[in-house]
Amino acid sequence: QYIVLKQSLDAQQKRMSKIEQRIQNAEHYESKRQYAQALEHAQDALALDPQNAQANALVKRVQQALAEEHRARLVNEVKSVIDRKQYEEALRMLDEIMPEFPRDTELKQLQATARSAIQHRANLLDDLARAEEALKNGNYDEAIAAYDSLLSVESLQNEVKVKINFIRKQKELAEKRAEAQTLKGKAEAYIRANKYDDALVVVARALTLDKSDRELKALHARVTTLIDQQRQIEVNQVAAAQCEVAGDY
């Protein structure tokens, strides 16, 4: 009986020693944040003694650490995707993650951020389309106002400023061309009234506003010709009058 008792005590001592060693190993790995290895040793200890309070606490603690580590990795992955402006992909990832962490406020905030970014981008695209349509239709003030709304996007500021300056120049050019056409009509009225000198002044002014208008150039040439013809008629009339006076004598 003594031998049996001694063997039993020796076996129990070895078992306790194994449990203690497994727990020490688990705590060692836990301190190094190597939670997978820590959990393995803690579960080994628990398998040897399911009622061991230290082993049970250790398993729960390491499992919690692993869960937090897992969550932190997922959060960082989502943040990285958002930083790359891949908002739809971020939402897809969050749809898969959030059932695992339904009450996580940080994940909910990331979801709101991604949705807001998608809506903001949609609004920007609408503003851009509105600006391009306005520019196409010659509505320069509306186009400038639409592009102004895009200046809030830092990554677009330089490009938008260049575009706004371009539109302002286009507006100025369009206004000059419109004024040139008004002057053209005025010059044509002078021509019909045989006021060629007045017409020439007006056409010359119109050409300073729109030098590329071929009709204005042609009108300028026409008025010049009419003035020359008028001058020649006047010269001929003077000469004829002088001849009549000389004949009287």
Side-chain angles (χ1 to χ4, degrees):
Q1 291 182 348
Y2 171 78
I3 295 174
V4 172
L5 179 61
K6 186 175 186 306
Q7 288 176 341
S8 175
L9 289 173
D10 288 344
Q12 186 176 2
Q13 187 175 4
K14 288 181 180 180
R15 177 168 161 271
M16 294 300 295
S17 178
K18 286 182 179 180
I19 292 171
E20 185 178 349
Q21 184 62 49
R22 297 293 190 277
I23 289 174
Q24 288 179 353
N25 290 341
E27 289 176 339
H28 169 75
Y29 284 117
E30 181 188 21
S31 68
K32 292 183 174 296
R33 302 176 67 87
Q34 296 176 3
Y35 300 118
Q37 293 92 326
L39 182 62
E40 181 182 349
H41 286 277
Q43 288 176 334
D44 285 346
L46 203 59
L48 293 170
D49 183 6
Q51 304 303 317
N52 188 289
Q54 189 176 2
N56 272 291
L58 188 54
V59 166
K60 290 180 180 179
R61 191 167 67 243
V62 172
Q63 285 178 333
Q64 180 63 32
L66 278 171
E68 290 176 358
E69 192 177 65
H70 172 62
R71 175 200 166 278
R73 184 175 66 255
L74 293 175
V75 167
N76 288 335
E77 287 176 358
V78 172
K79 287 181 177 179
S80 178
V81 171
I82 289 176
D83 288 342
R84 295 197 299 271
K85 304 185 187 305
Q86 297 173 350
Y87 305 116
E88 289 81 0
E89 175 63 14
L91 284 181
R92 186 195 65 75
M93 293 172 64
L94 286 164
D95 286 342
E96 295 179 358
I97 295 169
M98 292 190 70
E100 189 176 349
F101 306 96
R103 298 181 180 179
D104 194 296
T105 56
E106 186 175 11
L107 289 174
K108 289 181 179 180
Q109 182 58 48
L110 289 172
Q111 187 179 55
T113 297
R115 286 174 176 169
S116 176
I118 289 173
Q119 184 59 53
H120 182 58
R121 184 169 61 189
N123 292 340
L124 290 178
L125 290 174
D126 287 343
D127 288 340
L128 182 60
R130 182 165 56 88
E132 292 295 333
E133 184 66 20
L135 180 59
K136 179 181 177 181
N137 295 329
N139 299 324
Y140 300 108
D141 289 334
E142 183 180 343
I144 290 172
Y147 274 112
D148 273 338
S149 66
L150 298 173
L151 286 172
S152 60
V153 184
E154 186 176 354
S155 61
L156 295 177
Q157 283 181 356
N158 291 335
E159 182 179 349
V160 169
K161 287 178 181 178
V162 170
K163 194 72 173 183
I164 289 175
N165 287 335
F166 169 77
I167 295 173
R168 284 174 176 159
K169 290 179 181 178
Q170 289 293 103
K171 178 186 177 183
E172 182 181 355
L173 181 59
E175 290 173 345
K176 287 183 177 180
R177 285 176 175 170
E179 185 179 353
Q181 290 303 308
T182 299
L183 292 173
K184 177 186 173 186
K186 189 175 181 180
E188 289 173 338
Y190 279 134
I191 292 172
R192 288 192 294 272
N194 296 324
K195 296 181 179 181
Y196 304 130
D197 288 334
D198 290 335
L200 185 62
V201 171
V202 173
V203 172
R205 181 182 170 191
L207 280 171
T208 63
L209 297 171
D210 189 0
K211 297 178 182 179
S212 63
D213 192 304
R214 294 182 179 180
E215 291 184 0
L216 281 176
K217 291 179 180 179
L219 187 59
H220 185 274
R222 178 186 167 200
V223 173
T224 301
T225 299
L226 288 171
I227 290 174
D228 290 342
Q229 291 174 350
Q230 188 180 53
R231 297 286 187 272
Q232 187 60 50
I233 290 172
E234 291 173 353
V235 169
N236 292 340
Q237 287 175 344
V238 170
Q242 290 176 343
C243 288
E244 288 179 5
V245 172
D248 290 340
Y249 284 103

